[in-house]
mmCIF file of all heavy atoms in Angstrom:
data_model
loop_
_atom_site.group_PDB
_atom_site.id
_atom_site.type_symbol
_atom_site.label_atom_id
_atom_site.label_comp_id
_atom_site.label_asym_id
_atom_site.label_seq_id
_atom_site.Cartn_x
_atom_site.Cartn_y
_atom_site.Cartn_z
ATOM 1 N N THR Z 10 -0.277 -7.911 0.243
ATOM 2 C CA THR Z 10 -0.996 -9.099 -0.214
ATOM 3 C C THR Z 10 -2.203 -8.663 -1.041
ATOM 4 O O THR Z 10 -2.619 -7.495 -1.018
ATOM 5 C CB THR Z 10 -1.488 -9.938 0.977
ATOM 6 O OG1 THR Z 10 -2.466 -9.174 1.701
ATOM 7 C CG2 THR Z 10 -0.341 -10.319 1.887
ATOM 8 N N ALA Z 11 -2.768 -9.605 -1.769
ATOM 9 C CA ALA Z 11 -3.961 -9.308 -2.570
ATOM 10 C C ALA Z 11 -5.099 -8.829 -1.683
ATOM 11 O O ALA Z 11 -5.840 -7.904 -2.044
ATOM 12 C CB ALA Z 11 -4.374 -10.551 -3.352
ATOM 13 N N ASP Z 12 -5.240 -9.429 -0.504
ATOM 14 C CA ASP Z 12 -6.309 -9.022 0.428
ATOM 15 C C ASP Z 12 -6.099 -7.590 0.911
ATOM 16 O O ASP Z 12 -7.052 -6.808 1.009
ATOM 17 C CB ASP Z 12 -6.365 -9.975 1.625
ATOM 18 C CG ASP Z 12 -6.927 -11.337 1.256
ATOM 19 O OD1 ASP Z 12 -7.591 -11.423 0.193
ATOM 20 O OD2 ASP Z 12 -6.704 -12.299 2.007
ATOM 21 N N GLU Z 13 -4.866 -7.253 1.210
ATOM 22 C CA GLU Z 13 -4.574 -5.893 1.673
ATOM 23 C C GLU Z 13 -4.902 -4.859 0.598
ATOM 24 O O GLU Z 13 -5.498 -3.807 0.884
ATOM 25 C CB GLU Z 13 -3.094 -5.781 2.057
ATOM 26 C CG GLU Z 13 -2.734 -6.507 3.351
ATOM 27 C CD GLU Z 13 -1.241 -6.563 3.611
ATOM 28 O OE1 GLU Z 13 -0.443 -6.299 2.672
ATOM 29 O OE2 GLU Z 13 -0.860 -6.873 4.757
ATOM 30 N N LEU Z 14 -4.552 -5.168 -0.633
ATOM 31 C CA LEU Z 14 -4.823 -4.234 -1.728
ATOM 32 C C LEU Z 14 -6.319 -4.132 -2.008
ATOM 33 O O LEU Z 14 -6.837 -3.051 -2.293
ATOM 34 C CB LEU Z 14 -4.068 -4.663 -2.985
ATOM 35 C CG LEU Z 14 -2.537 -4.550 -2.910
ATOM 36 C CD1 LEU Z 14 -1.899 -5.090 -4.177
ATOM 37 C CD2 LEU Z 14 -2.106 -3.113 -2.680
ATOM 38 N N ASN Z 15 -7.031 -5.267 -1.922
ATOM 39 C CA ASN Z 15 -8.485 -5.237 -2.121
ATOM 40 C C ASN Z 15 -9.174 -4.397 -1.056
ATOM 41 O O ASN Z 15 -10.127 -3.668 -1.333
ATOM 42 C CB ASN Z 15 -9.056 -6.661 -2.110
ATOM 43 C CG ASN Z 15 -8.799 -7.402 -3.400
ATOM 44 O OD1 ASN Z 15 -8.666 -6.772 -4.456
ATOM 45 N ND2 ASN Z 15 -8.715 -8.717 -3.343
ATOM 46 N N THR Z 16 -8.682 -4.497 0.168
ATOM 47 C CA THR Z 16 -9.249 -3.685 1.254
ATOM 48 C C THR Z 16 -9.068 -2.203 0.946
ATOM 49 O O THR Z 16 -10.000 -1.398 1.124
ATOM 50 C CB THR Z 16 -8.563 -4.029 2.588
ATOM 51 O OG1 THR Z 16 -8.812 -5.402 2.892
ATOM 52 C CG2 THR Z 16 -9.108 -3.153 3.711
ATOM 53 N N LYS Z 17 -7.883 -1.829 0.478
ATOM 54 C CA LYS Z 17 -7.623 -0.435 0.128
ATOM 55 C C LYS Z 17 -8.536 0.040 -1.010
ATOM 56 O O LYS Z 17 -9.053 1.167 -0.984
ATOM 57 C CB LYS Z 17 -6.155 -0.263 -0.291
ATOM 58 C CG LYS Z 17 -5.155 -0.388 0.864
ATOM 59 C CD LYS Z 17 -5.282 0.800 1.822
ATOM 60 C CE LYS Z 17 -4.246 0.729 2.937
ATOM 61 N NZ LYS Z 17 -4.418 1.842 3.903
ATOM 62 N N ARG Z 18 -8.731 -0.822 -1.995
ATOM 63 C CA ARG Z 18 -9.592 -0.447 -3.117
ATOM 64 C C ARG Z 18 -11.022 -0.209 -2.647
ATOM 65 O O ARG Z 18 -11.678 0.749 -3.071
ATOM 66 C CB ARG Z 18 -9.559 -1.539 -4.196
ATOM 67 C CG ARG Z 18 -8.246 -1.630 -4.935
ATOM 68 C CD ARG Z 18 -8.341 -2.544 -6.154
ATOM 69 N NE ARG Z 18 -7.028 -2.721 -6.757
ATOM 70 C CZ ARG Z 18 -6.202 -3.724 -6.506
ATOM 71 N NH1 ARG Z 18 -6.569 -4.685 -5.654
ATOM 72 N NH2 ARG Z 18 -5.026 -3.811 -7.092
ATOM 73 N N LYS Z 19 -11.516 -1.080 -1.784
ATOM 74 C CA LYS Z 19 -12.883 -0.941 -1.284
ATOM 75 C C LYS Z 19 -13.045 0.326 -0.445
ATOM 76 O O LYS Z 19 -14.085 0.994 -0.496
ATOM 77 C CB LYS Z 19 -13.264 -2.171 -0.462
ATOM 78 C CG LYS Z 19 -13.475 -3.416 -1.326
ATOM 79 C CD LYS Z 19 -13.789 -4.653 -0.493
ATOM 80 C CE LYS Z 19 -13.971 -5.875 -1.369
ATOM 81 N NZ LYS Z 19 -14.221 -7.108 -0.572
ATOM 82 N N GLU Z 20 -12.022 0.660 0.335
ATOM 83 C CA GLU Z 20 -12.073 1.885 1.130
ATOM 84 C C GLU Z 20 -12.180 3.106 0.222
ATOM 85 O O GLU Z 20 -12.940 4.037 0.483
ATOM 86 C CB GLU Z 20 -10.818 1.998 2.006
ATOM 87 C CG GLU Z 20 -10.774 1.009 3.155
ATOM 88 C CD GLU Z 20 -9.435 1.056 3.901
ATOM 89 O OE1 GLU Z 20 -8.543 1.849 3.471
ATOM 90 O OE2 GLU Z 20 -9.283 0.314 4.895
ATOM 91 N N HIS Z 21 -11.406 3.089 -0.871
ATOM 92 C CA HIS Z 21 -11.459 4.210 -1.809
ATOM 93 C C HIS Z 21 -12.802 4.257 -2.535
ATOM 94 O O HIS Z 21 -13.357 5.344 -2.756
ATOM 95 C CB HIS Z 21 -10.316 4.097 -2.822
ATOM 96 C CG HIS Z 21 -8.995 4.577 -2.309
ATOM 97 N ND1 HIS Z 21 -8.290 3.921 -1.318
ATOM 98 C CD2 HIS Z 21 -8.260 5.683 -2.620
ATOM 99 C CE1 HIS Z 21 -7.169 4.572 -1.060
ATOM 100 N NE2 HIS Z 21 -7.126 5.655 -1.829
ATOM 101 N N GLU Z 22 -13.323 3.072 -2.936
ATOM 102 C CA GLU Z 22 -14.615 3.031 -3.616
ATOM 103 C C GLU Z 22 -15.722 3.578 -2.729
ATOM 104 O O GLU Z 22 -16.643 4.261 -3.208
ATOM 105 C CB GLU Z 22 -14.939 1.590 -4.030
ATOM 106 C CG GLU Z 22 -14.095 1.082 -5.193
ATOM 107 C CD GLU Z 22 -14.293 -0.403 -5.458
ATOM 108 O OE1 GLU Z 22 -15.172 -1.002 -4.799
ATOM 109 O OE2 GLU Z 22 -13.568 -0.956 -6.305
ATOM 110 N N ALA Z 23 -15.641 3.276 -1.425
ATOM 111 C CA ALA Z 23 -16.652 3.775 -0.482
ATOM 112 C C ALA Z 23 -16.650 5.301 -0.439
ATOM 113 O O ALA Z 23 -17.685 5.932 -0.204
ATOM 114 C CB ALA Z 23 -16.388 3.214 0.911
ATOM 115 N N ASN Z 24 -15.486 5.881 -0.674
ATOM 116 C CA ASN Z 24 -15.366 7.347 -0.704
ATOM 117 C C ASN Z 24 -15.454 7.900 -2.128
ATOM 118 O O ASN Z 24 -15.142 9.076 -2.367
ATOM 119 C CB ASN Z 24 -14.035 7.774 -0.078
ATOM 120 C CG ASN Z 24 -13.956 7.432 1.393
ATOM 121 O OD1 ASN Z 24 -14.943 7.561 2.117
ATOM 122 N ND2 ASN Z 24 -12.786 6.989 1.848
ATOM 123 N N LYS Z 25 -15.889 7.018 -3.060
ATOM 124 C CA LYS Z 25 -16.027 7.383 -4.474
ATOM 125 C C LYS Z 25 -14.701 7.910 -5.040
ATOM 126 O O LYS Z 25 -14.660 8.897 -5.773
ATOM 127 C CB LYS Z 25 -17.143 8.416 -4.661
ATOM 128 C CG LYS Z 25 -18.522 7.881 -4.288
ATOM 129 C CD LYS Z 25 -19.619 8.879 -4.562
ATOM 130 C CE LYS Z 25 -20.977 8.256 -4.208
ATOM 131 N NZ LYS Z 25 -22.092 9.203 -4.434
ATOM 132 N N GLU Z 26 -13.628 7.189 -4.701
ATOM 133 C CA GLU Z 26 -12.299 7.515 -5.178
ATOM 134 C C GLU Z 26 -11.693 6.282 -5.856
ATOM 135 O O GLU Z 26 -12.143 5.158 -5.646
ATOM 136 C CB GLU Z 26 -11.391 7.946 -4.015
ATOM 137 C CG GLU Z 26 -11.841 9.213 -3.307
ATOM 138 C CD GLU Z 26 -11.011 9.514 -2.067
ATOM 139 O OE1 GLU Z 26 -10.340 8.567 -1.561
ATOM 140 O OE2 GLU Z 26 -11.049 10.656 -1.603
ATOM 141 N N THR Z 27 -10.678 6.512 -6.664
ATOM 142 C CA THR Z 27 -9.973 5.415 -7.330
ATOM 143 C C THR Z 27 -8.644 5.178 -6.624
ATOM 144 O O THR Z 27 -7.890 6.130 -6.379
ATOM 145 C CB THR Z 27 -9.716 5.740 -8.813
ATOM 146 O OG1 THR Z 27 -10.956 5.972 -9.461
ATOM 147 C CG2 THR Z 27 -8.984 4.586 -9.498
ATOM 148 N N PHE Z 28 -8.388 3.928 -6.274
ATOM 149 C CA PHE Z 28 -7.135 3.591 -5.590
ATOM 150 C C PHE Z 28 -5.989 3.546 -6.599
ATOM 151 O O PHE Z 28 -6.037 2.821 -7.592
ATOM 152 C CB PHE Z 28 -7.263 2.239 -4.894
ATOM 153 C CG PHE Z 28 -5.968 1.743 -4.294
ATOM 154 C CD1 PHE Z 28 -5.440 2.354 -3.170
ATOM 155 C CD2 PHE Z 28 -5.278 0.680 -4.857
ATOM 156 C CE1 PHE Z 28 -4.240 1.911 -2.616
ATOM 157 C CE2 PHE Z 28 -4.086 0.227 -4.310
ATOM 158 C CZ PHE Z 28 -3.572 0.854 -3.178
ATOM 159 N N ILE Z 29 -4.978 4.358 -6.352
ATOM 160 C CA ILE Z 29 -3.765 4.355 -7.167
ATOM 161 C C ILE Z 29 -2.571 4.173 -6.237
ATOM 162 O O ILE Z 29 -2.411 4.918 -5.265
ATOM 163 C CB ILE Z 29 -3.599 5.674 -7.958
ATOM 164 C CG1 ILE Z 29 -4.803 5.921 -8.875
ATOM 165 C CG2 ILE Z 29 -2.315 5.649 -8.785
ATOM 166 C CD1 ILE Z 29 -4.739 7.235 -9.621
ATOM 167 N N TYR Z 30 -1.749 3.189 -6.527
ATOM 168 C CA TYR Z 30 -0.563 2.916 -5.727
ATOM 169 C C TYR Z 30 0.563 3.794 -6.268
ATOM 170 O O TYR Z 30 1.165 3.484 -7.297
ATOM 171 C CB TYR Z 30 -0.204 1.427 -5.869
ATOM 172 C CG TYR Z 30 0.683 0.844 -4.787
ATOM 173 C CD1 TYR Z 30 0.312 -0.330 -4.136
ATOM 174 C CD2 TYR Z 30 1.888 1.426 -4.436
ATOM 175 C CE1 TYR Z 30 1.117 -0.901 -3.147
ATOM 176 C CE2 TYR Z 30 2.704 0.878 -3.455
ATOM 177 C CZ TYR Z 30 2.316 -0.279 -2.814
ATOM 178 O OH TYR Z 30 3.123 -0.828 -1.847
ATOM 179 N N ASN Z 31 0.833 4.930 -5.601
ATOM 180 C CA ASN Z 31 1.914 5.799 -6.069
ATOM 181 C C ASN Z 31 2.412 6.724 -4.952
ATOM 182 O O ASN Z 31 2.234 6.415 -3.768
ATOM 183 C CB ASN Z 31 1.488 6.572 -7.319
ATOM 184 C CG ASN Z 31 0.395 7.592 -7.060
ATOM 185 O OD1 ASN Z 31 -0.061 7.779 -5.933
ATOM 186 N ND2 ASN Z 31 -0.029 8.262 -8.116
ATOM 187 N N TRP Z 32 2.965 7.864 -5.325
ATOM 188 C CA TRP Z 32 3.637 8.761 -4.393
ATOM 189 C C TRP Z 32 2.761 9.191 -3.217
ATOM 190 O O TRP Z 32 3.259 9.429 -2.126
ATOM 191 C CB TRP Z 32 4.110 10.015 -5.141
ATOM 192 C CG TRP Z 32 2.955 10.782 -5.764
ATOM 193 C CD1 TRP Z 32 2.405 10.571 -6.984
ATOM 194 C CD2 TRP Z 32 2.213 11.827 -5.155
ATOM 195 N NE1 TRP Z 32 1.358 11.420 -7.200
ATOM 196 C CE2 TRP Z 32 1.216 12.216 -6.088
ATOM 197 C CE3 TRP Z 32 2.271 12.495 -3.921
ATOM 198 C CZ2 TRP Z 32 0.294 13.226 -5.830
ATOM 199 C CZ3 TRP Z 32 1.353 13.500 -3.664
ATOM 200 C CH2 TRP Z 32 0.383 13.866 -4.613
ATOM 201 N N HIS Z 33 1.439 9.284 -3.426
ATOM 202 C CA HIS Z 33 0.600 9.875 -2.391
ATOM 203 C C HIS Z 33 0.270 8.899 -1.253
ATOM 204 O O HIS Z 33 -0.184 9.313 -0.193
ATOM 205 C CB HIS Z 33 -0.690 10.451 -2.999
ATOM 206 C CG HIS Z 33 -1.799 9.467 -3.189
ATOM 207 N ND1 HIS Z 33 -1.818 8.559 -4.212
ATOM 208 C CD2 HIS Z 33 -2.928 9.249 -2.455
ATOM 209 C CE1 HIS Z 33 -2.916 7.833 -4.127
ATOM 210 N NE2 HIS Z 33 -3.605 8.220 -3.071
ATOM 211 N N ASN Z 34 0.521 7.585 -1.475
ATOM 212 C CA ASN Z 34 0.175 6.637 -0.407
ATOM 213 C C ASN Z 34 1.223 5.534 -0.197
ATOM 214 O O ASN Z 34 1.065 4.697 0.688
ATOM 215 C CB ASN Z 34 -1.200 6.002 -0.677
ATOM 216 C CG ASN Z 34 -1.217 5.207 -1.981
ATOM 217 O OD1 ASN Z 34 -0.195 5.013 -2.629
ATOM 218 N ND2 ASN Z 34 -2.407 4.770 -2.370
ATOM 219 N N ARG Z 35 2.275 5.507 -0.994
ATOM 220 C CA ARG Z 35 3.185 4.359 -0.898
ATOM 221 C C ARG Z 35 3.923 4.280 0.455
ATOM 222 O O ARG Z 35 4.300 3.180 0.883
ATOM 223 C CB ARG Z 35 4.174 4.359 -2.063
ATOM 224 C CG ARG Z 35 5.044 5.577 -2.218
ATOM 225 C CD ARG Z 35 5.730 5.565 -3.598
ATOM 226 N NE ARG Z 35 6.438 6.808 -3.873
ATOM 227 C CZ ARG Z 35 6.633 7.288 -5.109
ATOM 228 N NH1 ARG Z 35 6.172 6.626 -6.163
ATOM 229 N NH2 ARG Z 35 7.289 8.405 -5.288
ATOM 230 N N LEU Z 36 4.110 5.396 1.103
ATOM 231 C CA LEU Z 36 4.771 5.362 2.420
ATOM 232 C C LEU Z 36 3.862 4.815 3.510
ATOM 233 O O LEU Z 36 4.319 4.527 4.625
ATOM 234 C CB LEU Z 36 5.259 6.762 2.792
ATOM 235 C CG LEU Z 36 6.390 7.322 1.924
ATOM 236 C CD1 LEU Z 36 6.797 8.716 2.395
ATOM 237 C CD2 LEU Z 36 7.597 6.392 1.935
ATOM 238 N N GLU Z 37 2.568 4.638 3.171
ATOM 239 C CA GLU Z 37 1.616 4.077 4.130
ATOM 240 C C GLU Z 37 1.350 2.596 3.868
ATOM 241 O O GLU Z 37 0.601 1.955 4.603
ATOM 242 C CB GLU Z 37 0.284 4.835 4.040
ATOM 243 C CG GLU Z 37 0.417 6.338 4.252
ATOM 244 C CD GLU Z 37 -0.822 7.089 3.796
ATOM 245 O OE1 GLU Z 37 -1.837 6.409 3.484
ATOM 246 O OE2 GLU Z 37 -0.782 8.334 3.739
ATOM 247 N N LEU Z 38 1.935 2.066 2.806
ATOM 248 C CA LEU Z 38 1.668 0.684 2.407
ATOM 249 C C LEU Z 38 2.842 -0.221 2.768
ATOM 250 O O LEU Z 38 3.868 0.223 3.281
ATOM 251 C CB LEU Z 38 1.353 0.653 0.908
ATOM 252 C CG LEU Z 38 0.094 1.463 0.519
ATOM 253 C CD1 LEU Z 38 -0.021 1.615 -0.990
ATOM 254 C CD2 LEU Z 38 -1.165 0.786 1.070
ATOM 255 N N ASN Z 39 2.671 -1.501 2.474
ATOM 256 C CA ASN Z 39 3.604 -2.530 2.939
ATOM 257 C C ASN Z 39 4.730 -2.732 1.930
ATOM 258 O O ASN Z 39 4.702 -3.657 1.115
ATOM 259 C CB ASN Z 39 2.811 -3.823 3.167
ATOM 260 C CG ASN Z 39 3.636 -4.897 3.867
ATOM 261 O OD1 ASN Z 39 4.741 -4.640 4.319
ATOM 262 N ND2 ASN Z 39 3.094 -6.099 3.936
ATOM 263 N N ASN Z 40 5.737 -1.854 1.945
ATOM 264 C CA ASN Z 40 6.804 -1.927 0.955
ATOM 265 C C ASN Z 40 8.131 -1.466 1.547
ATOM 266 O O ASN Z 40 8.200 -1.021 2.697
ATOM 267 C CB ASN Z 40 6.437 -1.093 -0.267
ATOM 268 C CG ASN Z 40 6.139 0.349 0.090
ATOM 269 O OD1 ASN Z 40 6.985 1.040 0.644
ATOM 270 N ND2 ASN Z 40 4.924 0.796 -0.203
ATOM 271 N N SER Z 41 9.178 -1.576 0.748
ATOM 272 C CA SER Z 41 10.517 -1.274 1.251
ATOM 273 C C SER Z 41 10.760 0.215 1.445
ATOM 274 O O SER Z 41 11.796 0.603 2.007
ATOM 275 C CB SER Z 41 11.579 -1.852 0.302
ATOM 276 O OG SER Z 41 11.431 -1.324 -1.006
ATOM 277 N N LEU Z 42 9.846 1.053 0.992
ATOM 278 C CA LEU Z 42 9.975 2.493 1.237
ATOM 279 C C LEU Z 42 9.439 2.871 2.612
ATOM 280 O O LEU Z 42 9.910 3.832 3.225
ATOM 281 C CB LEU Z 42 9.214 3.276 0.156
ATOM 282 C CG LEU Z 42 9.681 3.083 -1.290
ATOM 283 C CD1 LEU Z 42 8.796 3.878 -2.240
ATOM 284 C CD2 LEU Z 42 11.140 3.479 -1.463
ATOM 285 N N SER Z 43 8.448 2.108 3.069
ATOM 286 C CA SER Z 43 7.827 2.412 4.364
ATOM 287 C C SER Z 43 8.423 1.593 5.513
ATOM 288 O O SER Z 43 8.285 1.964 6.686
ATOM 289 C CB SER Z 43 6.322 2.155 4.292
ATOM 290 O OG SER Z 43 6.065 0.781 4.032
ATOM 291 N N LEU Z 44 9.083 0.491 5.180
ATOM 292 C CA LEU Z 44 9.648 -0.399 6.202
ATOM 293 C C LEU Z 44 11.131 -0.091 6.421
ATOM 294 O O LEU Z 44 11.806 0.453 5.537
ATOM 295 C CB LEU Z 44 9.485 -1.858 5.765
ATOM 296 C CG LEU Z 44 8.048 -2.365 5.565
ATOM 297 C CD1 LEU Z 44 8.067 -3.735 4.889
ATOM 298 C CD2 LEU Z 44 7.311 -2.443 6.902
ATOM 299 N N SER Z 45 11.629 -0.516 7.552
ATOM 300 C CA SER Z 45 13.061 -0.347 7.830
ATOM 301 C C SER Z 45 13.859 -1.345 6.992
ATOM 302 O O SER Z 45 13.329 -2.359 6.520
ATOM 303 C CB SER Z 45 13.342 -0.601 9.308
ATOM 304 O OG SER Z 45 13.095 -1.965 9.641
ATOM 305 N N ALA Z 46 15.134 -1.064 6.824
ATOM 306 C CA ALA Z 46 16.010 -1.959 6.066
ATOM 307 C C ALA Z 46 16.053 -3.341 6.690
ATOM 308 O O ALA Z 46 16.087 -4.365 5.982
ATOM 309 C CB ALA Z 46 17.412 -1.361 5.987
ATOM 310 N N GLU Z 47 16.008 -3.383 8.045
ATOM 311 C CA GLU Z 47 16.038 -4.677 8.743
ATOM 312 C C GLU Z 47 14.770 -5.470 8.446
ATOM 313 O O GLU Z 47 14.820 -6.693 8.225
ATOM 314 C CB GLU Z 47 16.191 -4.463 10.246
ATOM 315 C CG GLU Z 47 17.524 -3.881 10.683
ATOM 316 C CD GLU Z 47 17.631 -2.383 10.429
ATOM 317 O OE1 GLU Z 47 16.580 -1.749 10.128
ATOM 318 O OE2 GLU Z 47 18.751 -1.851 10.520
ATOM 319 N N ALA Z 48 13.648 -4.791 8.484
ATOM 320 C CA ALA Z 48 12.364 -5.465 8.233
ATOM 321 C C ALA Z 48 12.295 -5.995 6.805
ATOM 322 O O ALA Z 48 11.797 -7.098 6.561
ATOM 323 C CB ALA Z 48 11.206 -4.506 8.506
ATOM 324 N N VAL Z 49 12.796 -5.206 5.884
ATOM 325 C CA VAL Z 49 12.796 -5.631 4.477
ATOM 326 C C VAL Z 49 13.683 -6.859 4.312
ATOM 327 O O VAL Z 49 13.293 -7.841 3.658
ATOM 328 C CB VAL Z 49 13.283 -4.488 3.555
ATOM 329 C CG1 VAL Z 49 13.485 -4.994 2.126
ATOM 330 C CG2 VAL Z 49 12.302 -3.331 3.584
ATOM 331 N N LYS Z 50 14.869 -6.830 4.906
ATOM 332 C CA LYS Z 50 15.788 -7.964 4.796
ATOM 333 C C LYS Z 50 15.166 -9.220 5.394
ATOM 334 O O LYS Z 50 15.284 -10.320 4.828
ATOM 335 C CB LYS Z 50 17.099 -7.640 5.502
ATOM 336 C CG LYS Z 50 18.176 -8.717 5.345
ATOM 337 C CD LYS Z 50 19.474 -8.303 6.012
ATOM 338 C CE LYS Z 50 20.588 -9.321 5.736
ATOM 339 N NZ LYS Z 50 20.247 -10.684 6.140
ATOM 340 N N ALA Z 51 14.478 -9.066 6.516
ATOM 341 C CA ALA Z 51 13.855 -10.219 7.169
ATOM 342 C C ALA Z 51 12.786 -10.829 6.268
ATOM 343 O O ALA Z 51 12.663 -12.059 6.163
ATOM 344 C CB ALA Z 51 13.247 -9.793 8.501
ATOM 345 N N LYS Z 52 12.006 -9.979 5.629
ATOM 346 C CA LYS Z 52 10.958 -10.475 4.732
ATOM 347 C C LYS Z 52 11.561 -11.211 3.533
ATOM 348 O O LYS Z 52 11.090 -12.279 3.124
ATOM 349 C CB LYS Z 52 10.075 -9.310 4.248
ATOM 350 C CG LYS Z 52 9.102 -8.775 5.290
ATOM 351 C CD LYS Z 52 8.307 -7.586 4.730
ATOM 352 C CE LYS Z 52 7.274 -7.094 5.735
ATOM 353 N NZ LYS Z 52 6.141 -8.045 5.871
ATOM 354 N N LEU Z 53 12.599 -10.636 2.968
ATOM 355 C CA LEU Z 53 13.250 -11.274 1.821
ATOM 356 C C LEU Z 53 13.897 -12.595 2.223
ATOM 357 O O LEU Z 53 13.783 -13.600 1.498
ATOM 358 C CB LEU Z 53 14.294 -10.336 1.216
ATOM 359 C CG LEU Z 53 13.769 -9.036 0.583
ATOM 360 C CD1 LEU Z 53 14.942 -8.157 0.131
ATOM 361 C CD2 LEU Z 53 12.870 -9.345 -0.609
ATOM 362 N N ASP Z 54 14.581 -12.602 3.374
ATOM 363 C CA ASP Z 54 15.258 -13.824 3.836
ATOM 364 C C ASP Z 54 14.270 -14.936 4.141
ATOM 365 O O ASP Z 54 14.590 -16.126 3.993
ATOM 366 C CB ASP Z 54 16.100 -13.516 5.076
ATOM 367 C CG ASP Z 54 17.317 -12.658 4.758
ATOM 368 O OD1 ASP Z 54 17.656 -12.549 3.557
ATOM 369 O OD2 ASP Z 54 17.916 -12.086 5.697
#
């Protein structure tokens, strides 16, 4: 969600870092790569 992404950006800014959604953190975020196939299907349905 937008709120979830804003929270991540603020956490990175606090550490003087830039938030980039890619290989280094995508398995920790709310997406079909980090979720089970069942969970993804439930969200889509």
